[in-house]
Structure formats: structure tokens, C-alpha cells
Amino acid sequence: MTAPEPEAPTTAPSRAKDHSPWNWLLFIPIVVPLIPAFFNGDSPRVFGFPRFYWLQLAFILLGVGTTTLVYQMTKKRGGS
């Protein structure tokens, strides 16, 4: 006699339930580099580099800073 097969779960695994308003800040480093007005020009120059090049580095720093802030504000607190 064969053993009965276990039933499959009736509900699908749920997605993350982190609905923190801090997560909205993650749109900033996505949207800001898409604004063409930031790239429309050659000056000001920083260390001889045109605006386009140093803005790329600034956008990376913006993304890292924003991600760090959101992580720190939304990480689970408490021990164990």
C-alpha cells in the first residue's frame, strides 16, 4: 500500500511585506539621471572635466547615499 501524497499548500508564498514610505526615496536615483536639463551644457567644469562626466560620478554617489539611507531606516530592529 502506498502512502498518500501530501497536499500542496493552498496559498502561494507571499511577497515581502515591507511597505515603508522610506522605499519611495529609491526612485530619486532612478529619476534624477533621466532629466536632460542636467546634461545640457559644458560648464561648470570640475577639475577640467565637463559637466556630463562629473555628474555621472555624482549620480553614483546619490544612488549609494539614498540606498544606504533607506536601508538604515527600514532594517528590522531588535535582537535575537
Side-chain angles (χ1 to χ4, degrees):
M1 183 168 196
T2 61
E5 293 184 20
E7 292 183 23
T10 57
T11 60
S14 64
R15 297 176 67 184
K17 301 214 182 219
D18 185 11
H19 298 291
S20 172
W22 286 101
N23 292 337
W24 286 103
L25 289 177
L26 294 173
F27 280 110
I28 292 173
I30 295 171
V31 173
V32 168
L34 297 176
I35 301 172
F38 289 135
F39 301 105
N40 190 17
D42 186 40
S43 62
R45 288 179 173 255
V46 175
F47 300 115
F49 290 101
R51 183 188 317 175
F52 175 81
Y53 294 107
W54 62 262
L55 265 179
Q56 298 303 308
L57 180 60
F59 292 150
I60 291 170
L61 297 175
L62 175 68
V64 169
T66 305
T67 303
T68 302
L69 175 68
V70 171
Y71 172 74
Q72 292 297 324
M73 299 309 287
T74 59
K75 71 181 178 180
K76 302 289 184 219
R77 307 247 190 252
S80 86

